[in-house]
Amino acid sequence: MSTRLVIDHRKGGALLRHPEKAHRPDNPIARKPEWIRVKAPNHPVYHETRALMREQKLVTVCEEAACPNIGECWSQRHATMMIMGEICTRACSFCNVTTGMPNPLDEGEPERVGEAVAKLGLRHVVITSVDRDDLPDGGAAHFARVIAAVRAASPSTTIEILTPDFLRKPASLEVVVAARPDVFNHNLETVPRLYTSIRPGARYYQSLRLLDDVKRHDPSIFTKSGLMVGLGEERPEILQVMDDLRVADVDFITLGQYLQPTVKHAPVKHFVTPDEFADYAAMARAKGFLQVSASPLTRSSYHADSDFAELRAAREAKLAAARSGAERA
């Protein structure tokens, strides 16, 4: 049986989680097309994963952002940790994460994340966070401690991080890059024209520069970024963002359908069809991305473990082809 999955585990719903949106008019949630279907989570391993997250007192973006893929992913023990608490200092109009003043950092969190990764037996883990504009470094040192703790607890696990933009946080990026994650992900989320309404606390070119700077500091780290579609963007704008990412030498792009969390969030303007996603994927590959994931239910960490294996193989194939060409020359 398929169902629409909405996760809002706190009492009070949208207005408690998003008091800054209380004054906004309601945007009715559009009926989803037949190609967007998710199964209700009922697999035994899903419940095991959930119990482990509670036991380790960890927050997951799977729950906080109401991800539609939680049933599938947690049934495979693929939980995406969200560090530095569940309260974000930003108020993006697409996001279901609670907005407000965050609590102090939990100094024991890095070790608990490492323990959870080891207990889950993950080959690849994705670690993200809320925005912490209240911290002098935006949480960069905490990211580095989490990466180190995961490496200590599970040395064979590859690590993908999905970071904030570290806006107005000088030298923060260098701290995270020095910890050497395998993949550095930062999502542009939408096209520049829509930033003021969809991502008002961020700056498009700051996010783009962040990804470019990762490669400048350490070219060996894979970089990744993602976009939501269906917010009112036009096809040429999406293609321009792809070009911008390729100029920044970003390796991996994800594109997924925006799904409206509550009536107080930005409305869906368009449900992108599977054929349109396939076309975007073909265009992205033609532009030179090593890896592309584009589908209605694609999210940053969806199938991240298998995608990382393909990403690494694609780089090795590209380097081998370059060596072969040089030898022939």
Side-chain angles (χ1 to χ4, degrees):
M1 180 181 71
S2 295
T3 185
R4 176 177 178 269
L5 181 62
V6 176
I7 300 162
D8 193 351
H9 57 280
R10 289 183 179 78
K11 293 179 181 179
L15 295 184
L16 180 59
R17 291 172 68 84
H18 309 287
E20 80 291 346
K21 296 180 174 65
H23 67 283
R24 296 182 182 179
D26 287 357
N27 292 311
I29 297 177
R31 181 178 177 84
K32 294 174 178 58
E34 61 181 11
W35 60 80
I36 298 180
R37 294 288 185 269
V38 293
K39 294 181 179 179
N42 56 14
H43 195 283
V45 177
Y46 164 87
H47 296 289
E48 292 174 14
T49 303
R50 188 177 187 278
L52 179 60
M53 295 302 104
R54 300 293 82 80
E55 174 191 322
Q56 297 294 110
K57 298 179 181 178
L58 296 175
V59 178
T60 70
V61 74
C62 319
E63 296 171 290
E64 298 300 324
C67 181
N69 302 316
I70 188 171
E72 177 185 347
C73 294
W74 282 27
S75 296
Q76 300 171 32
R77 297 187 173 87
H78 296 161
T80 298
M81 319 295 177
M82 190 169 81
I83 61 174
M84 298 192 280
E86 71 275 19
I87 302 174
C88 186
T89 54
R90 304 277 176 94
C92 298
S93 64
F94 65 87
C95 185
N96 198 48
V97 173
T98 304
T99 300
M101 179 54 67
N103 296 315
L105 290 177
D106 180 348
E107 298 301 326
E109 182 177 56
E111 285 67 35
R112 296 200 308 277
V113 172
E115 290 171 12
V117 170
K119 287 180 179 180
L120 289 168
L122 298 180
R123 295 177 302 175
H124 185 80
V125 64
V126 182
I127 300 163
T128 188
S129 78
V130 290
D131 276 285
R132 292 297 303 257
D133 296 310
D134 59 309
L135 300 175
D137 69 346
H142 198 78
F143 258 107
R145 287 194 291 271
V146 171
I147 293 168
V150 171
R151 289 253 158 80
S154 185
S156 64
T157 301
T158 50
I159 300 171
E160 178 174 332
I161 58 171
L162 173 55
T163 76
D165 58 12
F166 299 119
L167 183 64
R168 303 183 188 92
K169 306 294 181 184
S172 292
L173 176 66
E174 289 86 340
V175 172
V176 180
V177 171
R180 304 211 65 228
D182 296 280
V183 181
F184 192 111
N185 186 0
H186 174 67
N187 286 334
L188 295 183
E189 305 291 9
T190 189
V191 301
R193 177 175 58 84
L194 297 178
Y195 259 56
T196 54
S197 61
I198 300 302
R199 202 177 174 218
R203 302 293 180 269
Y204 178 79
Y205 288 104
Q206 163 66 20
S207 290
L208 199 60
R209 187 180 304 112
L210 186 82
L211 292 161
D212 187 61
D213 284 347
V214 173
K215 286 291 192 183
R216 182 169 56 83
H217 288 299
D218 189 341
S220 70
I221 296 176
F222 290 103
T223 50
K224 177 178 176 181
S225 191
L227 294 173
M228 299 172 294
V229 293
L231 283 161
E233 71 288 332
E234 301 291 339
R235 174 185 165 87
E237 293 177 303
I238 292 288
L239 299 182
Q240 182 60 59
V241 171
M242 290 182 187
D243 288 339
D244 291 344
L245 289 171
R246 287 303 301 131
V247 169
D249 200 22
V250 170
D251 301 297
F252 187 174
I253 186 172
T254 61
L255 293 98
Q257 172 70 52
Y258 167 65
L259 297 176
Q260 183 182 346
T262 76
V263 295
K264 294 298 183 181
H265 286 78
V268 174
K269 297 292 183 66
H270 173 55
F271 284 107
V272 179
T273 68
D275 285 346
E276 288 175 286
F277 274 109
D279 182 58
Y280 279 135
M283 293 298 297
R285 292 188 183 95
K287 289 176 183 294
F289 288 99
L290 289 179
Q291 180 72 353
V292 179
S293 179
S295 74
L297 291 176
T298 289
R299 298 296 183 267
S300 291
S301 55
Y302 190 45
H303 296 164
D305 57 340
S306 57
D307 281 343
F308 177 72
E310 293 177 14
L311 179 63
R312 187 159 50 184
R315 174 185 278 179
E316 290 170 357
K318 182 178 179 179
L319 292 174
R323 286 194 297 267
S324 176
E327 289 170 0
R328 288 196 299 270

